[in-house]
């Protein structure tokens, strides 16, 4: 059965949704931007720093569920300008083992909620406790 939760370290979503939905097999994390982070506003407009802060927050959220970034199987990324994809990729790649990158979609979305330049959504395989 799925559980619908909000990360207590983040402001409550301003939309009708949850930060995370966890079922028996996966962790789904809603699109996250620096606007969603209490410390992210000063990074707006710096694609590398926005990416870094969002990836750190995603890592922490997955750790709350007993997982890590290595468990991510799918990523959706929205950039306000696809010309900045190399800046994003230079930081994004640091968070994964080379050659073990999740499936990914990256689209240009000229307007991202809150004025951010980067939004990242993930789906991760859930780490289940070992059976005894």
């Amino acid at each position: 059965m799925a559980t619908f939760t909000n990360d207590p370290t983040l402001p409550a979503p301003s939309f009708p949704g949850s930060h995370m939905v966890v079922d028996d097999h996966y962790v789904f994390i809603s699109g996250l931007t620096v606007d969603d982070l209490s410390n992210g506003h000063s990074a707006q407009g710096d694609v590398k720093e926005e990416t870094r802060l969002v990836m750190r927050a995603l890592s922490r959220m997955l750790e709350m569920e007993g997982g890590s970034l290595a468990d991510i199987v799918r990523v959706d990324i929205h950039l306000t300008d696809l010309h900045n994809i190399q800046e994003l990729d230079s930081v994004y790649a640091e968070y994964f083992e080379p050659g073990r990158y999740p499936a990914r979609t990256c689209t240009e979305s000229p307007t991202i909620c809150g004025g951010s330049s980067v939004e990242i959504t993930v789906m991760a395989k859930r780490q289940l406790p070992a059976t005894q």
Side-chain angles (χ1 to χ4, degrees):
M1 176 169 244
T3 58
F4 302 81
T5 61
N6 289 319
D7 182 332
T9 69
L10 298 178
S14 59
F15 57 91
S18 302
H19 290 138
M20 292 187 289
V21 176
V22 181
D23 71 12
D24 291 339
H25 303 285
Y26 294 96
V27 176
F28 302 90
I29 300 179
S30 292
L32 193 62
T33 70
V34 292
D35 186 58
D36 298 317
L37 309 176
S38 60
N39 63 342
H41 296 285
S42 63
Q44 282 185 334
D46 181 338
V47 171
K48 287 184 174 185
E49 189 60 18
E50 285 191 35
T51 303
R52 188 171 290 111
L53 289 171
V54 169
M55 292 302 293
R56 286 178 187 158
L58 291 168
S59 177
R60 184 186 44 70
M61 292 169 81
L62 288 169
E63 287 172 6
M64 288 172 41
E65 293 299 323
S68 73
L69 294 173
D71 299 316
I72 296 174
V73 295
R74 178 165 174 73
V75 177
D76 292 316
I77 299 173
H78 301 282
L79 280 171
T80 55
D81 184 348
L82 275 178
H83 290 102
N84 294 325
I85 197 166
Q86 290 180 333
E87 290 178 61
L88 175 130
D89 283 344
S90 69
V91 174
Y92 174 87
E94 295 173 7
Y95 289 88
F96 299 99
E97 181 182 329
R100 294 191 48 88
Y101 302 108
R104 184 177 106 171
T105 300
C106 188
T107 60
E108 183 172 282
S109 301
T111 305
I112 294 177
C113 190
S116 299
S117 299
V118 177
E119 180 174 20
I120 302 175
T121 304
V122 302
M123 175 180 160
K125 188 80 172 142
R126 185 165 180 221
Q127 293 299 313
L128 300 175
T131 55
Q132 298 178 354

